[in-house]
Amino acid sequence: MVRRGAPPTGTTDPRAWLHPTPDGRWPVETLLDDVPGLVFYVKDTQGRYVSVNDTLRQRCGAQHKAEVLGRTAAEVFAGEAGRRFREQDERTLREGRELRDVLELYVGPRGEPIWCLTHKLPVFGADGAVVGVAGVSRDVPPLSEGREGYARVADALAFMQTHFAQPLQVQALAAQAGLSADSFERLVRRVCHVSPKQFLLRVRLDAAVRLLRDTDASVAQVAHECGYSDHSAFSRKFREVTGLTPQTYRRRVRAGTAVPRA
């Protein structure tokens, strides 16, 4: 009988623990099953899931992992989201380069916005060829005043939260905090888990979500109120981050349909 999480019999290399056990289970998948706010997966060169953690299973609405394994993201997740995941996978597989810290927005079961950072990297075989893609997507936690360094950037963050409709420059925000641009960037990442530009984007699109969900304002009006002079640029950015157009997002949220994540 193979012990839970045990490496293949006869090996002394702990790296073998990363590979599937003889009964087909992935120890690293088991390890990450219960990590809150973290999605994990491995896919083959056709984009089919070969390993997923339990968070991914829950968020795609499957009762069992077997319902997800062997299927592509486009088959598991309908519409724009599935196409976006597939395009990310294809680019990672084709170019053999990692996709790092992509800020994305999803909708929870009650319509609440969930921000996450997605990281994908190609998986190489023994001959150096790309044999798949592995990825993680972790929720961005809410801003907390208790985090180290918060006081140094609090005023700048508050300014972004109240003046997001204005054209804001990171250099000016850093100067306002009495910091160099590099120091400001490091502190904001430590406090917010995202860069200053990503934080501003999050503030703007959180406002856009509220307007799309709670008002009948046109997309052009929403764009203007969220700091975009060009509603086409707003729509492109919104679709890039959410996988949906603003109009589709509004329909989905009002219909109570969550936007999936993988």
Side-chain angles (χ1 to χ4, degrees), residues 5 13-14 16 19 22 53 59 74 76 84 95 106 112 125 130 156 167 170-171 174 177 184 202 205 214 230 240 256:
D13 188 344
H19 302 292
N53 75 337
R59 295 198 178 181
V76 173
R84 177 173 50 149
E95 299 177 2
Y106 302 88
E112 72 276 15
V130 177
V170 172
Q171 190 75 38
F184 182 68
R202 179 179 175 177
L205 292 194
D214 301 332
D230 179 1
E240 176 187 323

Side-chain angles (χ1 to χ4, degrees), residues 45-196:
T45 55
Q46 303 302 310
R48 296 171 298 203
Y49 291 106
V50 297
S51 177
V52 300
N53 75 337
D54 204 54
T55 304
L56 187 145
R57 177 200 62 78
Q58 293 172 18
R59 295 198 178 181
C60 72
Q63 292 296 312
H64 306 283
K65 289 182 180 181
E67 299 171 36
V68 181
L69 299 177
R71 303 173 69 193
T72 67
E75 292 171 327
V76 173
F77 300 106
E80 290 288 343
R83 284 192 288 273
R84 177 173 50 149
F85 303 147
R86 183 190 63 204
E87 290 169 0
Q88 289 178 346
D89 294 342
E90 289 175 347
R91 186 164 66 251
T92 303
L93 290 165
R94 181 177 63 252
E95 299 177 2
R97 293 189 299 177
E98 64 181 332
L99 187 69
R100 177 178 291 276
D101 286 344
V102 177
L103 186 65
E104 298 180 301
L105 172 63
Y106 302 88
V107 180
R110 294 175 299 279
E112 72 276 15
I114 299 173
W115 287 94
C116 73
L117 288 170
T118 294
H119 185 182
K120 296 185 179 184
L121 73 163
V123 177
F124 297 96
D127 61 356
V130 177
V131 296
V133 58
V136 293
S137 181
R138 56 186 175 85
D139 292 351
V140 178
L143 184 63
S144 171
E145 296 182 8
R147 291 197 186 120
E148 181 185 357
Y150 175 83
R152 298 284 307 276
V153 295
D155 288 345
L157 296 177
F159 191 85
M160 281 191 270
Q161 289 173 310
T162 55
H163 296 81
F164 58 84
Q166 300 177 11
L168 301 176
Q169 300 296 324
V170 172
Q171 190 75 38
L173 292 166
Q176 177 181 324
L179 297 165
S180 69
D182 287 345
S183 295
F184 182 68
E185 172 100 14
R186 285 194 298 273
L187 273 175
V188 171
R189 283 188 179 275
R190 183 184 305 165
V191 171
C192 306
H193 298 273
V194 293
S195 70

